[in-house]
Amino acid sequence: MTSGVHRRRIRKSPADRRAEMVDAAASVALAEGLEGITLRRIGERLDVRPGLVGHYFPVVDELVAEAFGQAVGAELDTLVPPRRAGDTPVERLARFFALATGEGHDALSRLWINARHLSRYCPVLRDRVGCQETRWRERLEQLIRDGVGSGHFRTADPCASAVQILLVMDGLAAHANTETGSPRSVNRLAAATAERELGLADGILSADPADPADPAHRARPAPRTAALPATH
């Protein structure tokens, strides 16, 4: 009787079991690509039968889409948290570029390339890719709007500036599968684009965001002048 009660206590709820499967699939996606997500592969990782995975995800494409959304959504919350108390918009954006252009971000860059390719043949994944693209644009756009409101950034169109920055980052991400590195001037193209778009001094977004050197300069608002005309 005691053992039966114990088993009932440790039994996972359907929601917990489903979340566990998505987490496992997201790990496989980052390490091996979305093609590596199969019912058997996830079952092996969780030490359960593939049929149990299939019970929660009768169509494996649904698990693939969930795994992609989980991986890139978690990364977005790391790169651009909704709010960071005490940080200026310049510091938040510098932190974003420091993390998004580091080697640790290459796995996510490969995943985006992988997902966009496979989404041509998988409607449910295509919808999830579009949803995540919107979330990333809106999160970066809000950061830019915060900077415009505080006087740190100058742009006539925060949305267009966010899109332009993300497009440059997508272009740079195409090199994630190559073994040869790029010159620093190429690696900082996205930061340089942001500096130009937002009326910032050259190099201000390339400094280590944890570097305490000259914090007053890094946090200084841009001059309160008329908004610059859109350049796109």
Side-chain angles (χ1 to χ4, degrees), residues 185-203:
S185 59
V186 173
N187 288 333
R188 72 170 307 272
L189 274 176
T193 298
E195 289 161 359
R196 184 183 67 249
E197 284 292 303
L198 304 178
L200 297 171
D202 291 347

Side-chain angles (χ1 to χ4, degrees), residues 21-39:
M21 292 173 181
V22 172
D23 286 343
S27 296
V28 170
L30 286 168
E32 305 170 19
L34 293 170
E35 297 91 340
I37 299 175
T38 64
L39 301 184

